[in-house]
Amino acid sequence: MRPVRRGDSPQQDDFDPYAKAQPFLISRLGPYCSYCERRISTSLAVEHIQPKGLPAFAHLEGSWENYLLACVNCNSTKKDKNVVLQDILLPDRDNTFAAYAYTKDGRVVPSQASIAAGFQAMASATLKLTGLDRQSSVVVDENGKEIALDRAAQRKEVWLVAIDASNDIAAEPESQGLRNATVRTALGYGFFSIWMAAFSNDLDMRLRFIKAFSGTEESGCFDAVTTQLVSPAPNPDGLVGGAKL
């Protein structure tokens, strides 16, 4: 799960209606679901971290610090579930990249780093909150070809694209054009964490991905030279419940 920095609100007052925050969030974070990491070209929702539908959080409906971006799947699964900030890991205040491992069969699971640090329960709770712990449903067309319809299946699909790109660059490591094109491809698909995993041994590409995906470098969760994880997250905006991992 890509860590991001939303930064200070672009306006002094709360947003009314809250949908007015969408273009600013996309500008700061990119057109990606903050949870599943997919690129969403249309209908990317302003996501209330603590749900506006619960009376306890109704006053946060227009609050910039309570916003992320979410696809319809993550948003509808999370819905009006009570969110206790201390019990989950969030990409705007924790180093969520350290919390998860992305497997080639499309699963997202708590990483060894989060397990070792005692954060497995929080990592798992976040996956359950958004439905990212669900297994892929296999759908095939009339020719027996698997069709990527759900989030897990789409992760599997992007893994294949990322591995092909990694092999191409390994064959032509000096090709700057190929490296630039790969970054554009990654931005077109989303799934930042998969691209970082596929290029785990290519420092140059990892740095390029961190710089290219809006809000990622600004999070401070990656060393600017080595891309090593900075954990706990710096949480530069001092968000409540942040810097757990």
Side-chain angles (χ1 to χ4, degrees):
M1 195 175 291
R2 179 172 67 101
V4 295
R5 185 182 184 187
R6 186 177 44 249
D8 294 333
S9 176
Q11 64 183 47
Q12 292 184 341
D13 301 326
D14 281 355
F15 287 87
D16 185 18
Y18 65 83
K20 287 185 177 180
Q22 185 200 49
F24 300 106
L25 289 166
I26 292 176
S27 175
R28 303 279 183 92
L29 309 180
Y32 308 98
C33 177
S34 300
Y35 299 113
C36 73
E37 301 189 345
R38 290 184 298 172
R39 181 184 175 97
I40 307 296
S41 299
T42 59
S43 301
L44 184 59
V46 175
E47 204 286 294
H48 292 79
I49 296 170
Q50 292 181 298
K52 66 184 186 302
L54 293 184
F57 306 125
H59 65 290
L60 297 176
E61 180 171 346
S63 174
W64 173 255
E65 291 186 354
N66 195 41
Y67 296 153
L68 285 172
L69 291 166
C71 67
V72 65
N73 301 96
C74 292
N75 203 24
S76 61
T77 303
K78 183 173 174 288
K79 207 172 181 181
D80 289 337
K81 295 175 183 174
N82 185 35
V83 171
V84 179
L85 298 177
Q86 294 292 347
D87 293 345
I88 64 171
L89 300 171
L90 289 167
D92 64 335
R93 59 198 75 193
D94 297 304
N95 193 335
T96 43
F97 187 84
Y100 300 105
Y102 288 71
T103 65
K104 293 178 182 179
D105 61 357
R107 292 179 300 128
V108 185
V109 297
S111 69
Q112 290 302 311
S114 65
I115 293 171
F119 289 103
Q120 182 178 13
M122 291 183 188
S124 297
T126 307
L127 295 181
K128 184 176 181 180
L129 179 71
T130 55
L132 290 173
D133 56 351
R134 295 174 181 171
Q135 299 298 310
S136 175
S137 55
V138 178
V139 180
V140 296
D141 64 14
E142 68 275 15
N143 298 312
K145 181 181 178 181
E146 187 172 330
I147 306 300
L149 295 179
D150 60 33
R151 290 169 293 176
Q154 289 168 11
R155 287 193 293 270
K156 289 170 63 177
E157 183 178 64
V158 173
W159 258 112
L160 295 176
V161 176
I163 290 171
D164 282 346
S166 176
N167 290 336
D168 289 342
I169 287 178
E172 299 183 59
E174 303 303 320
S175 174
Q176 295 303 305
L178 189 55
R179 289 178 178 271
N180 292 335
T182 298
V183 172
R184 291 193 295 271
T185 300
L187 291 173
Y189 278 101
F191 294 108
F192 167 85
S193 295
I194 290 175
W195 291 92
M196 290 289 283
F199 284 87
S200 60
N201 295 320
D202 191 321
L203 175 61
D204 173 72
M205 288 304 299
R206 288 170 63 89
L207 286 169
R208 290 178 189 238
F209 294 138
I210 291 167
K211 291 179 180 296
F213 280 83
S214 300
T216 308
E217 183 178 27
E218 293 82 354
S219 74
C221 287
F222 299 93
D223 184 274
V225 176
T226 66
T227 75
Q228 291 297 308
L229 299 179
V230 177
S231 184
N235 192 20
D237 296 317
L239 299 173
V240 176
K244 297 187 291 297
L245 177 64

